[in-house]
Amino acid sequence: MKSRSGTRCGRWALAPTLLATLMLALPVAAQPGAEDPEIVWREGEVAPPPAWSTARMVRIDMPIYSEVMVGVDVDSVTVGGKDGVVRYVAVVQGRGGAGSAYYQGVHCKSFQGRTYARYRFDRDPPGWENVDEAWQDLKDMKSRYARAIAQAGACENFVPAASTVQARRAYARNPKWSGAAFEGRAAPQTVRP
């Protein structure tokens, strides 16, 4: 029995070729090109440094050889809308007792970090000073604590938390900051910008 095309399987003779062509084309179509404008991310508007407190501060695990202790104020954590940047206030204290607070951001997809401002305890009155560093690869940053902070709640496998609530919940799973680690340079209970 012949088909309308003149051969019994004429209609299906091209099927393997067509299928192979589609299979080769799909991965290329699914991968965004380097010139795709959606690949280049742009940071949205950055809010001023928030008020921060040691009341809901959590400890960030650092390597045993680390010379610093690090905490993140859970209530200061926010997730940016379109840019996906997770921002927070971190307190870093050296073994000698000297400490600093930083308002920072992490972009999980590119695994980059940035410091916006530093809280100066030695000013009268104490307050924020603008630092406004450029984005840096977290693997290359001088301070290892920024990478530890990103991995402790901001990012999971290069994906940011879906919302501020989710990011705060992720950080809250870390151990509570005991307060004893701040001996010698206790941060005020609540600090306003």
Side-chain angles (χ1 to χ4, degrees):
M1 181 178 243
K2 289 188 175 182
S3 68
R4 290 183 187 170
S5 64
T7 65
R8 179 173 204 154
C9 46
R11 188 178 330 178
W12 301 107
L14 293 177
T17 306
L18 181 60
L19 183 60
T21 303
L22 284 173
M23 290 178 71
L24 289 173
L26 282 176
V28 173
Q31 294 176 1
E35 52 281 338
D36 186 348
E38 296 299 316
I39 298 304
V40 178
W41 72 278
R42 289 181 182 27
E43 183 173 22
E45 187 174 331
V46 179
W52 60 278
S53 169
T54 58
R56 289 206 10 152
M57 182 124 347
V58 294
R59 185 171 44 88
I60 303 300
D61 285 335
M62 296 294 294
I64 195 153
Y65 57 82
S66 178
E67 294 294 317
V68 295
M69 295 171 283
V70 181
V72 169
D73 175 16
V74 172
D75 292 332
S76 72
V77 177
T78 61
V79 177
K82 292 181 181 179
D83 63 10
V85 175
V86 181
R87 295 180 181 89
Y88 54 85
V89 173
V91 173
V92 180
Q93 181 176 336
R95 292 192 188 274
S100 296
Y102 298 94
Y103 178 42
Q104 297 178 314
V106 171
H107 186 255
C108 300
K109 289 182 182 176
S110 63
F111 207 56
Q112 293 180 318
R114 177 180 178 190
T115 299
Y116 302 106
R118 175 180 170 203
Y119 192 84
R120 297 285 307 267
F121 290 100
D122 58 349
R123 282 182 28 186
D124 190 23
W128 291 105
E129 75 174 358
N130 189 28
V131 174
D132 201 22
E133 290 179 351
W135 286 98
Q136 300 174 45
D137 190 328
L138 287 175
K139 296 174 197 153
D140 298 337
M141 286 182 79
K142 294 177 273 184
S143 56
R144 293 177 186 236
Y145 76 86
R147 180 174 25 180
I149 289 172
Q151 294 170 331
C155 308
E156 186 164 333
N157 297 325
F158 301 101
V159 177
S163 67
T164 295
V165 171
Q166 186 181 6
R168 288 180 179 181
R169 194 175 297 136
Y171 276 111
R173 287 192 291 252
N174 290 282
K176 300 290 182 227
W177 195 263
S178 67
F182 284 98
E183 272 181 63
R185 175 62 81 174
Q189 186 65 14
T190 301
V191 181
R192 300 270 173 221

